[in-house]
Amino acid sequence: MNNKKTMLFLSLLSVSFLASASTSNTTYKPNKVTNLIGWSLSVPVDNDGNGKADNIKEEELASGYSNPPYFYINTDGDLVFKSYVKGFKTSKNTTYTRSELREMLRKGKTSINTKGVDKNNWVLSSSPKAEQEKAGGVDGTLTATLSVNHVTETGKDYQIGRVIIGQIHANDDEPLRLYYRKLPMNDNASIYFAHEPRHGFGKEKYYSLIGSKSNTQSNPKNGIAINEKFSYSIVAKGNTIKVTISRPNMADVSKTIDISKSGYDKEGQYLYFKAGVYNQNKTGKPSEYAQATFYSIKATHNK
């Protein structure tokens, strides 16, 4: 099947990708993960020459965007994200590279702003009623099934082997960052998350789910190996956030935190999910990278 026919076929399915020129003889299967019209994508390259990481909007992403090795759909129809230690960043305030999806409730309706309490973003059910009416959703659940395929092994000790695989982002802060971290001397990785209150509402705190965030921890008990498939869910409801890690034939591991004093239930505060690979190492060798394969991603809201 030539590329023109392939693109037509995949376009009819609304979610598809072709290989890059270097793998032009391979036809990738339609994306089975998610309808990407509800997401935008950041990749750590600068093809448009603006000095920042490229941002791929919803319609371009859903209609066939592919940029191996940073983002593509493999032959099984799964999303692959890859981010080297060195690369273009999303803004002056960001020092780490990423290949990461950003939730876009507007689904390609560019007349709706990306920022603000509007139909592109969501709020908590603890927020004022007027804010809930303006928002595109109320409360939120992000679920994903993935495997982390590679992490960094060089650099400063507190950065080695760590990568963010899911987030809740707000106006300026990050209510939730979910980390996978595997140290070079260990077979398995730990899972932990951070909660960052709004500026002036308290200090950032870390919570362990499997193992810890320690730079010297021994092989975590029941840790998650490279290429091992697992699932996570992030549930924000009212003034709580619950994170759960699930694996076949193992008990779920969950942690619920109270965010009632973190300031995200105030007027003007909006939220959105992120998922992919946010490489948390900026000091390793330039050839080092983080990579993950996502088999499913789904975001839902009460509105």
Side-chain angles (χ1 to χ4, degrees), residues 1-3 6 18-28 68:
M1 182 181 291
N2 61 38
N3 283 349
T6 301
L18 295 178
S20 67
S22 62
T23 56
S24 59
N25 292 328
T26 302
T27 300
Y28 287 99

Side-chain angles (χ1 to χ4, degrees), residues 6 15 26 33 37 69 112 129 141 192 196 206 228 249 295:
T6 301
V15 280
T26 302
V33 178
I37 194 64
I112 300 173
K129 290 296 183 182
T141 298
Y192 58 92
E196 179 186 39
Y206 286 84
E228 180 181 348
N249 304 314
Y295 309 100

Side-chain angles (χ1 to χ4, degrees), residues 42-46 48 50-55 88-90 98:
S42 175
V43 284
V45 296
D46 182 26
D48 59 13
N50 67 355
K52 298 188 297 183
D54 287 347
N55 181 62
F88 286 90
K89 319 298 193 303
T90 56
R98 72 183 83 200

Side-chain angles (χ1 to χ4, degrees), residues 6-79:
T6 301
M7 284 300 292
L8 176 60
F9 170 72
L10 296 176
S11 177
L12 291 173
L13 289 174
S14 297
V15 280
S16 56
F17 291 85
L18 295 178
S20 67
S22 62
T23 56
S24 59
N25 292 328
T26 302
T27 300
Y28 287 99
K29 292 183 179 181
N31 169 24
K32 70 182 182 183
V33 178
T34 184
N35 188 340
L36 293 175
I37 194 64
W39 302 87
S40 64
L41 172 72
S42 175
V43 284
V45 296
D46 182 26
N47 290 331
D48 59 13
N50 67 355
K52 298 188 297 183
D54 287 347
N55 181 62
I56 312 307
K57 294 182 180 180
E58 307 96 286
E59 289 188 349
E60 182 182 0
L61 181 61
S63 65
Y65 177 84
S66 180
N67 194 346
Y70 307 103
F71 174 82
Y72 64 93
I73 293 194
N74 65 20
T75 54
D76 292 322
D78 308 312
L79 295 178

Side-chain angles (χ1 to χ4, degrees), residues 33-34 36 39-42 61 71 79-82 98-104 142-146 163-169 176 178 232 234 272-278 292-294 296-299:
V33 178
T34 184
L36 293 175
W39 302 87
S40 64
L41 172 72
S42 175
L61 181 61
F71 174 82
L79 295 178
V80 180
F81 300 84
K82 185 175 185 177
R98 72 183 83 200
S99 176
E100 188 180 42
L101 295 173
R102 192 271 203 210
E103 185 183 23
M104 302 288 277
L142 175 65
T143 58
T145 298
L146 70 150
V163 56
I164 293 172
I165 54 176
Q167 294 189 68
I168 301 175
H169 208 288
L176 191 286
L178 181 62
Y232 70 72
I234 300 170
Y272 51 90
F273 286 121
K274 304 190 82 174
V277 164
Y278 188 9
T293 300
F294 279 71
S296 67
I297 302 173
K298 184 177 182 181

Side-chain angles (χ1 to χ4, degrees), residues 222-235:
N222 296 325
I224 299 177
I226 291 289
N227 293 321
E228 180 181 348
K229 186 181 288 189
F230 66 99
S231 299
Y232 70 72
S233 70
I234 300 170
V235 181

